[in-house]
Amino acid sequence: MTGADVVLTLDLLGTVTFALNGAMTASRRVRLDIVGVLSLGVITAIGGGLIRDVLLGATPPAAFQHWYYLAAAFAGAAAAWVIARPPRGLHRAIVVLDAIGLSVFCVTGAHKAVELGLQPAPAILLGAITAVGGGTIRDVLVGDVPSVLTSELYAIPALAGAAVAVLAGGSAAAAAPAAVVGAVLCFAIRMLGVRFDLHAPARDPEA
Amino acid sequence: MTGADVVLTLDLLGTVTFALNGAMTASRRVRLDIVGVLSLGVITAIGGGLIRDVLLGATPPAAFQHWYYLAAAFAGAAAAWVIARPPRGLHRAIVVLDAIGLSVFCVTGAHKAVELGLQPAPAILLGAITAVGGGTIRDVLVGDVPSVLTSELYAIPALAGAAVAVLAGGSAAAAAPAAVVGAVLCFAIRMLGVRFDLHAPARDPEA
Amino acid sequence: MTGADVVLTLDLLGTVTFALNGAMTASRRVRLDIVGVLSLGVITAIGGGLIRDVLLGATPPAAFQHWYYLAAAFAGAAAAWVIARPPRGLHRAIVVLDAIGLSVFCVTGAHKAVELGLQPAPAILLGAITAVGGGTIRDVLVGDVPSVLTSELYAIPALAGAAVAVLAGGSAAAAAPAAVVGAVLCFAIRMLGVRFDLHAPARDPEA
């Protein structure tokens, strides 16, 4: 496998897991029909990439140009409809898979932003937007305040992973190792956050 | 009338009816001022097309390039403000007009996606997004879970109509008849769904 | 200072004040962590411009091409986190600053739309969208019906300011004075609306 193969494999793995997790999360909150479950799964999986590609002017977005993205997203969302109510053990697996998706998307998003000429700061931001964008659209559609805004370490690991990918991946030779290190760092921070229930500092609204 | 005239006429009819229906639907749910009623009517009418054109990179969107789209959308939304509380009989007419809008937009959206080089599967999806996108933005803005995700046959007829337009409209000669057949199929499925109160299978959230 | 310097200065002032105001408004409504406060501040500040640039096909958006926009947005949002609970007097200042942002963005947005070839009506609309777009995204994310749809004179001054900038700014020589007059008009209508508690006509939803 070449480096590009590795990135594509990870990207598709992230797409499947985001679709699975997105569809399940949405189903737990509101009554949805099969169209809703599939739509929210697919949107969670490809939404971040759509925002990234639209903001970069890279249209039509990758998800609409290569069949395997939509296929992976529909497969994950369909699996969520079939499984319906995951047993406890699977919930833990889903958290891990979601963290993999987060880690992959933050570095691939940041990498694409750099390739298309963005400066480091907006490229890091766009990497994080790619990672959290799909889940944010899903939360808005089901009427929730996006969880990324309120709790847990979710955006911070994505920003950290994207920062490593951008700042250490300056040369062509360094891009692949920087992406791997960035993704691993994001995954590590995210899982530590889940394991020790870490949260970013928060403030309650005025009484 | 040429084929292009027919498509444009249907497109404008869909725009007016979506604006009328969108503004009325929004007004029934939350307290809105005249800016809100007009905005939500216009967004319902042109929102799906904006998403389509942005995703296809066809910017500025058609709604901002040809005056008659905005004029049709504002006319429909203004009519909704004037009528305010439609009598019962008009409600039924609005459901029919909304189904016409759905049918027109799914085939014109899919057709444009094919023209701009998308493969069949994403083109069908984009046709359906064009048809349901405006109403989805409206529902999100007034704080509702988009009805397309929760109930009734709404996305399914749009997908069916778009599929016919894309799969049967491969050649230039076949494009116009395929669009008409697709739109009629979409309209028929939608109205059968309304008449017999058909719903896609759904699942309740966990207790 | 040249005319372009004046516009850029106003644009950055609007960005800072929108970020400050956006982050504070969001914090008053829901419990947010620091990521949420910063994100909502930045989105309020640059969201309208992102929508404008995406609709115009001017990608990557200006906010991602020039470091000072993101810097100004983050500075304003960070100030909101530090201040946390503004004393009464500051609230009044924030309303004024927000009106400045509204006034600046409606004319700069409309001006950019004209420059990129839009006709007057869509250019005026896009100017208003630039001015109210960021706050609208913020309201949707925190689960509120956007205030622009329900109350107060907010969209109307933006439309008025954009209309002056577009209709009076036809020639290159007239663009700068038309922008200034448009911004002043928008500011004046907005502040009169606040002072005398003016509202656009509204209708309650059906019982």
Side-chain angles (χ1 to χ4, degrees):
Chain A
M1 280 176 117
T2 67
D5 289 342
V6 174
V7 170
L8 180 58
T9 305
L10 287 173
D11 220 12
L12 290 176
L13 183 63
T15 302
V16 173
T17 57
F18 262 32
L20 186 67
N21 186 31
M24 283 183 173
T25 305
S27 304
R28 272 203 299 273
R29 304 216 192 125
V30 289
R31 187 178 193 279
L32 298 167
D33 65 12
I34 188 168
V35 170
V37 172
L38 292 180
S39 300
L40 288 168
V42 170
I43 287 167
T44 308
I46 70 171
L50 293 185
I51 297 174
R52 175 201 62 202
D53 290 348
V54 163
L55 288 175
L56 289 172
T59 50
F64 288 173
Q65 286 191 313
H66 307 294
W67 64 271
Y68 34 78
Y69 286 111
L70 278 182
F74 269 105
W81 174 262
V82 172
I83 297 173
R85 300 214 171 147
R88 275 246 137 230
L90 197 55
H91 269 304
R92 185 161 304 174
I94 289 169
V95 170
V96 175
L97 291 171
D98 183 70
I100 293 174
L102 186 79
S103 307
V104 170
F105 284 171
C106 74
V107 298
T108 56
H111 181 67
K112 186 164 187 175
V114 170
E115 271 194 326
L116 291 174
L118 253 58
Q119 296 294 312
I124 293 168
L125 196 61
L126 206 56
I129 290 171
T130 307
V132 307
T136 300
I137 300 177
R138 176 203 60 210
D139 288 344
V140 167
L141 287 172
V142 300
D144 279 341
V145 176
S147 55
V148 67
L149 300 174
T150 57
S151 66
E152 295 191 15
L153 293 187
Y154 201 78
I156 289 170
L159 286 165
V164 169
V166 169
L167 300 176
S171 68
V180 172
V181 173
V184 170
L185 177 68
C186 172
F187 183 79
I189 300 177
R190 172 67 187 145
M191 292 313 295
L192 285 173
V194 170
R195 175 70 186 77
F196 296 106
D197 199 27
L198 302 178
H199 295 271
R203 289 226 180 87
D204 291 313
E206 286 174 48
Chain B
M1 281 177 119
T2 67
D5 288 343
V6 174
V7 170
L8 179 58
T9 304
L10 287 174
D11 219 12
L12 291 176
L13 183 63
T15 303
V16 173
T17 56
F18 262 32
L20 186 66
N21 186 30
M24 283 183 171
T25 306
S27 305
R28 272 203 298 274
R29 304 218 192 123
V30 289
R31 185 180 195 280
L32 296 167
D33 65 13
I34 189 169
V35 170
V37 171
L38 293 180
S39 300
L40 288 167
V42 171
I43 287 168
T44 307
I46 68 171
L50 292 185
I51 297 175
R52 175 200 62 203
D53 290 349
V54 164
L55 288 175
L56 289 171
T59 50
F64 288 173
Q65 286 191 313
H66 307 293
W67 65 271
Y68 34 78
Y69 286 110
L70 278 183
F74 270 105
W81 175 262
V82 172
I83 298 172
R85 302 216 169 145
R88 277 247 136 229
L90 197 54
H91 270 304
R92 186 160 303 173
I94 289 170
V95 169
V96 175
L97 291 170
D98 182 71
I100 293 174
L102 187 79
S103 308
V104 171
F105 285 171
C106 72
V107 297
T108 56
H111 180 68
K112 186 163 187 176
V114 169
E115 271 194 325
L116 291 174
L118 252 58
Q119 296 294 311
I124 293 167
L125 196 61
L126 206 57
I129 290 172
T130 307
V132 307
T136 299
I137 300 177
R138 175 203 60 211
D139 288 345
V140 167
L141 287 172
V142 300
D144 279 341
V145 177
S147 56
V148 67
L149 300 174
T150 57
S151 66
E152 296 192 9
L153 293 188
Y154 202 77
I156 289 171
L159 286 165
V164 169
V166 169
L167 300 177
S171 70
V180 172
V181 174
V184 170
L185 177 69
C186 172
F187 183 79
I189 301 177
R190 171 68 186 143
M191 293 312 296
L192 284 173
V194 170
R195 175 71 187 77
F196 295 106
D197 199 26
L198 303 178
H199 295 270
R203 290 226 180 87
D204 290 312
E206 286 173 47
Chain C
M1 280 177 117
T2 68
D5 288 342
V6 174
V7 169
L8 179 58
T9 304
L10 287 173
D11 219 12
L12 291 176
L13 183 64
T15 303
V16 173
T17 57
F18 262 32
L20 186 67
N21 186 31
M24 283 183 173
T25 306
S27 305
R28 273 204 297 275
R29 305 216 191 125
V30 288
R31 187 181 193 277
L32 297 167
D33 66 12
I34 189 168
V35 170
V37 172
L38 293 180
S39 300
L40 288 167
V42 170
I43 287 168
T44 307
I46 69 171
L50 292 184
I51 296 174
R52 175 200 63 202
D53 290 349
V54 164
L55 288 175
L56 289 172
T59 51
F64 288 173
Q65 286 192 312
H66 307 292
W67 64 270
Y68 35 77
Y69 286 111
L70 278 182
F74 270 105
W81 174 262
V82 171
I83 297 173
R85 302 217 169 143
R88 276 246 137 230
L90 197 53
H91 271 304
R92 186 162 302 174
I94 289 170
V95 170
V96 175
L97 291 171
D98 183 69
I100 293 174
L102 187 78
S103 308
V104 171
F105 285 172
C106 72
V107 296
T108 56
H111 180 67
K112 187 164 187 176
V114 170
E115 272 195 324
L116 291 173
L118 253 57
Q119 297 294 313
I124 292 167
L125 195 61
L126 206 55
I129 291 171
T130 307
V132 308
T136 299
I137 300 177
R138 175 203 61 211
D139 288 345
V140 167
L141 287 173
V142 300
D144 279 341
V145 177
S147 56
V148 68
L149 300 174
T150 57
S151 67
E152 295 193 12
L153 294 187
Y154 202 77
I156 289 170
L159 285 165
V164 170
V166 168
L167 300 176
S171 69
V180 172
V181 173
V184 169
L185 177 68
C186 172
F187 184 80
I189 301 176
R190 171 68 187 142
M191 292 313 295
L192 284 173
V194 171
R195 175 70 185 79
F196 296 105
D197 199 27
L198 304 178
H199 296 271
R203 290 227 181 88
D204 290 314
E206 286 172 48

